[in-house]
Every structure is written in C-alpha cells, then in structure tokens.
Amino acid sequence: MQSKNISRLLRALARQGLDVQYNNQSYSARWVDSPDAPIAEVLLPASFPVEAKALKQLANLANAKHPKGGNICHVCATPDFHPGDAGVAIGSVVQTSGQVIPAAVGSDINCGMRLHVADLSAEKFLARRDRFVELMKGDFFFGKRDVTMAARTMKALFQDGVTGWLDSMLDKSTGNFVRSDINQIATEIDRIFLNGSMSGHIKWAPQELVPESGLVRDGGLATIGGGNHFVEVQWVEQITNPKLAYRWGVKKGQLAFMIHSGSRNVGKYIGGMWRDWARKLWSEGLKYPDSRLFPLSSITHPESVTDYLEAEATAANYAFVNRLLLAELLRLRLRQVYGDLEAPLVYDLPHNITLPEGQGWVTRKGACPAHVGQPVIIPGSMGTPSYLLMGLGNSDWCCSASHGAGRLRSRFDLSRKGNRESEDKLGLTGVDCITLRAERRIEEAPAAYKPIAPVIDVQVRAGLVQVVARMHPILTFKA
DNA sequence: ATGTGC
C-alpha cells in the first residue's frame, strides 16, 4: 500500500540515522544511535502523506530523557500529526516519569474544544442568521477585547479556574450568584474536564493582570484567537450512538456550537517564560540537546517541576474560563435573537496540556485525552464535519485521540499560493465564514486540512474512540 | 499558538 514516495522518504531517513517502519496503519520511528529510547509510533492511514520533519521531531521527543534523572516511558502521535514550529510535532503524546518537558506543551497551553447544543433547527437559525452575525461581529471581531474585571475575579480564575471564577461571582451575603444566568454555568461544571479547575497561582500570571485590588482591563478573555481557532455553528446531522448521545444531551437535527480556543497571550507569556527557564536550568554542566527540548527533572530539581506544573495550570485555568465566557457571549446573543434557549454544555476538554497519569505525567500537544467513557470533540474544518466521540482508553496510544484533521498545507503556503487557487479547489464553495481578514479564510480553507473522515476512521479501527455524533458546519467565525 | 510572517 505504500507509495514510492513514502518508500523513498523512509530510505532517506534511514541514511540520516532515523529508522522508520510502516505496518498496520502506523509508523514507528527511532534514532538508530539511541537504542534505549522508546520507539515512537504514529497512527496514520497509508494513503496520507507524512513529513520527515515531523517524524524527526517525534523521535527527538522519545530521545528527551533527562540525563540526570527522569524517563520517557511512551511516545506516540495521533493521525493529525504534522511538524510543529517549536521542535515538537502537533499530535504528539509523551508519557514521562521523573521529568516533564515544557516544550512538549509549548505556548498554546490548554488549547481546547467546547461544545454546546440547542433545540433550534438549522432552518430557524438561518432565517435570522444576519441579525445573529451582526451581533456576534460586535462581540468577536477584535483579536483584543477590553474586558473590565474585578482584580479579585481575575486572581480567582488564575488560581482556581472555573471554580474560582464562580466563587468570585457569588454574593456572600445572600449565597446567590450575582446574575441568575450563572446558575446554569454552575450546574454544568461536571461537563468540563477537571471541572475547569487546576492548581494555579497568580505569581505566574502576567503582572498587569493581577493588581492587589481594583479593576483589570484584559484583552484576551472571551476572544477567539488566531490560527485554527474558531467559533462555529453546526447542525447535528447524524447520531451513531443514540444511547450516549441522549445521555450527553445531543439529538439529531439540533444546532451545535463548537468553540476552539485557548489561553491566548497568557499561555504565550507562561509558555515562553518556561521555555527560557528550562534552557537556563539545563546549562548546569549538561550538553545542550540538539532537539531544543529541555526536560525538567523532578529528581534533581523537584521544585522546577512543581513550579512549572503550577504555571501551566495557571494558563490552563485562564483558557477554561476563556472558553466558558465565549460560550456565554454565544448564549447571550442566541437568546437575544431566537428567544429563550437553554443551549446546554455538552463537554469542554483540553488538547494541549500536561496531566498526572500513571507513575508520572502525560503531555499532549494537539491530542485529546480519550479515557474510557470520556467525551472527545474532534473538529474537521470550516467546510467538513466535526465529531463527538467517546474515548476507549487505549493504552497503546496513551489514552489519546487526535485534536482535529491535521494540517496538510502550511499557512504560509496558502497565503502565498492559495489566493491564486479557485474557491472550489480550496474547498470553500458553499462555506459561510465570517472574518475581517480575508487571508484567514484562505489559510484555514478546507484544503489546508487532511480529510477528516479517514482520520476518524483510523482511530475507530485502532480502538481509540467510538463515534457518537457527527455535526456539519453552517457558519464559522474566525478572528 | 502569538494582532505572526520564508
């Protein structure tokens, strides 16, 4: 089944010291001169292209054992596998003990997905689409927003995520939330991974966002962000597992609202800070790794690992609240345009995060946790379906699933060549995408991504996930 | 990923 191109690629990699084999829907990769490193595996259909850069990055990750303590236990990658800018491939999952690798998460801390549904037909939605778009434009059309928030609320959300934010919205004298719509948010907390609350600390947050008292002007909360991030209105076109779908509140014909966003500038700030610190900690008589991956050892520097995890959690908390507030904007406008709709949360889960699992940690970069029975949300693109699935907790793949279809063509390639390609060739025919930046529509066109169906299919066949429902895009908002 | 950039 392998094409000549792939065979040629594997031979070229072998000459560079990277042993890559393909069988049974997966590549295995290992640097020949590192026989003790675990063999990295990539789940990928034979018909899909694979890039040398991404394979090298994954083998480097398997090679990122801390020389003075710590272990790489397991490295794998999901079918949305493609090269990353910072030396770690998107779709990588690494299980470690005695060490964590800040670069394996990077800057986009707690990038994740959130899904709501509403009892509203596509027909009724489209009848007032223009009014809805007009209102959402006002909400979304700026990369920055000036949210004015009490400093104590900001502090609470950095330290405790959604729980902290809810606590700060409580009127202590009456025991009620300051606004009645917050009641619904509180009842939905069990539908957020880790309840949207991790152990963070304000000392890791950008200083200007955590004054002692007063008000904070924040430009990141309740904004979508760039790249592949979006807010999308979809239609539930197929239910594959009715029992689970009903249990999770999803029905055929409903409208779905999907949010893909992360920790914005906070993750950039904290991720960048720790990328630099990990490198500095490394310079204590150790040879610099060529891969630019600098693991922190919990054996030689235990405080560095607890500090990093606390810092990562601080950004993760911000991301959970960011998605929550984006969803509240959506619900507000839906109610304004379509009347009293509940639009309940189905699930919110991170796909860029380090979690304690097994004897150590699992770091996923562009990969969803997919533990047994857990809801998993995998978006396609603005012109192709997205999926709601259930995790099967497959330990061969570190209990993970892909976070999307995976990029096929770079943003740069599309901004340079895409503008000269036809709408049809870009897969944009019939796509309703609202964005102020025309190039975003090109860079994020369906042709930028792998076809989602085989990506889902290979994960179902390999026993990572089970499909619960499929949603078709109606309207996409890009920043 | 980031109001970015070969």
Side-chain angles (χ1 to χ4, degrees):
Chain A
M1 284 295 285
Q2 255 176 48
S3 72
K4 278 183 183 162
N5 284 342
I6 303 257
S7 312
R8 198 177 307 134
L9 174 76
L10 301 195
R11 282 199 302 275
L13 286 170
R15 285 193 295 274
Q16 294 168 46
L18 186 69
D19 178 34
V20 181
Q21 307 288 332
Y22 187 80
N23 58 63
N24 194 24
Q25 305 286 336
S26 72
Y27 290 90
S28 60
R30 185 171 63 176
W31 291 113
V32 178
D33 59 8
S34 305
D36 296 333
I39 296 175
E41 300 230 41
V42 190
L43 182 63
L44 207 65
S47 59
F48 276 36
V50 63
E51 289 171 84
K53 187 177 172 186
L55 286 167
K56 287 179 189 170
Q57 287 179 342
L58 196 70
N60 287 341
L61 192 56
N63 227 359
K65 174 181 159 50
H66 194 287
K68 291 192 169 177
N71 257 309
I72 304 284
C73 310
H74 196 165
V75 173
C76 57
T78 53
D80 48 356
F81 185 60
H82 60 99
D85 288 340
V88 179
I90 316 304
S92 300
V93 183
V94 56
Q95 180 156 24
T96 57
S97 66
Q99 68 171 63
V100 293
I101 311 168
V105 171
S107 292
D108 192 13
I109 298 168
N110 190 2
C111 181
M113 302 299 306
R114 188 177 175 101
L115 179 68
H116 288 253
V117 287
D119 288 328
L120 183 70
S121 69
E123 202 180 9
K124 280 186 180 159
F125 171 77
L126 288 170
R128 308 199 66 184
R129 172 221 175 262
D130 294 352
R131 174 70 183 138
F132 179 73
V133 167
E134 188 188 325
L135 290 171
M136 294 309 295
K137 268 187 180 176
D139 293 326
F140 284 159
F141 259 17
F142 305 97
K144 282 185 108 165
R145 176 196 302 284
D146 272 328
V147 169
T148 305
M149 193 175 253
R152 62 179 183 86
T153 304
M154 210 65 188
K155 180 181 170 189
L157 79 85
F158 277 125
Q159 304 223 129
D160 293 309
V162 173
T163 314
W165 184 83
L166 281 169
D167 283 348
S168 72
M169 292 292 156
L170 210 54
D171 181 338
K172 299 289 191 306
S173 62
T174 62
N176 294 325
F177 287 116
V178 294
R179 292 200 322 269
S180 63
D181 54 346
I182 299 174
N183 283 318
Q184 187 178 356
I185 300 173
T187 63
E188 290 174 331
I189 198 165
D190 62 331
R191 298 177 187 187
I192 309 177
F193 194 87
L194 298 175
N195 302 136
S197 298
M198 300 182 78
S199 298
H201 199 284
I202 51 162
K203 71 181 173 195
W204 304 115
Q207 298 251 306
E208 65 275 17
L209 295 184
V210 284
E212 283 301 311
S213 61
L215 296 173
V216 183
R217 285 172 82 80
D218 175 65
L221 279 172
T223 60
I224 300 175
N228 57 354
H229 290 179
F230 64 82
V231 169
E232 192 167 87
V233 182
Q234 305 166 342
W235 172 65
V236 181
E237 63 177 344
Q238 191 180 54
I239 300 286
T240 311
N241 186 330
K243 192 158 72 175
L244 273 175
Y246 286 138
R247 201 198 295 166
W248 294 348
V250 180
K251 294 170 284 184
K252 186 175 177 176
Q254 275 179 322
L255 232 50
F257 300 90
M258 190 170 274
I259 293 169
H260 183 184
S261 188
S263 48
R264 311 291 282 105
N265 273 315
V266 173
K268 183 183 188 252
Y269 168 84
I270 292 175
M273 175 201 297
W274 276 91
R275 178 197 57 217
D276 296 344
W277 285 6
R279 193 192 308 126
K280 277 186 194 131
L281 280 168
W282 190 264
S283 60
E284 295 168 13
L286 294 173
K287 183 181 174 290
Y288 254 40
D290 297 334
S291 62
R292 293 183 291 158
L293 302 176
F294 298 95
L296 301 171
S297 167
S298 63
I299 293 156
T300 63
H301 294 79
E303 71 294 336
S304 73
V305 171
T306 47
D307 280 355
Y308 170 70
L309 292 172
E310 191 181 61
E312 200 196 300
T314 307
N317 283 337
Y318 186 88
F320 278 126
V321 176
N322 180 38
R323 287 195 291 273
L324 180 147
L325 293 178
L326 278 167
E328 285 318 294
L329 275 177
L330 255 167
R331 289 209 273 216
L332 178 76
R333 297 314 181 192
L334 276 175
R335 286 171 183 144
Q336 207 172 330
V337 180
Y338 299 99
D340 203 15
L341 277 174
E342 214 179 323
L345 173 63
V346 177
Y347 208 64
D348 182 308
L349 87 157
H351 55 226
N352 266 36
I353 202 161
T354 305
L355 300 166
E357 285 179 38
Q359 301 301 305
W361 298 274
V362 171
T363 299
R364 296 177 177 86
K365 185 184 182 66
C368 292
H371 298 103
V372 184
Q374 184 211 305
V376 172
I377 302 163
I378 302 184
S381 69
M382 61 174 84
T384 58
S386 294
Y387 292 77
L388 174 65
L389 314 97
M390 182 191 75
L392 295 173
N394 188 323
S395 57
D396 288 346
W397 298 99
C398 287
C399 302
S400 302
S402 83
H403 86 308
R407 196 165 260 285
L408 198 58
R409 293 178 60 186
S410 73
R411 276 199 274 276
F412 180 74
D413 181 44
L414 280 150
S415 63
R416 198 180 41 174
K417 295 188 212 152
N419 284 310
R420 296 194 298 271
E421 293 171 25
S422 70
E423 286 272 297
D424 211 40
K425 198 183 166 203
L426 291 166
L428 284 167
T429 305
V431 167
D432 192 1
C433 174
I434 307 295
T435 174
L436 272 188
R437 310 180 59 202
E439 67 268 34
R440 183 82 80 199
R441 190 164 171 272
I442 307 292
E443 290 168 356
E444 290 295 312
Y449 291 92
K450 297 175 193 169
I452 185 73
V455 167
I456 298 294
D457 186 55
V458 74
Q459 295 182 82
V460 170
R461 275 187 286 129
L464 277 58
V465 284
Q466 221 177 67
V467 178
V468 175
R470 190 178 75 218
M471 288 80 69
H472 197 82
I474 294 176
L475 172 62
T476 308
F477 294 93
K478 286 275 192 180

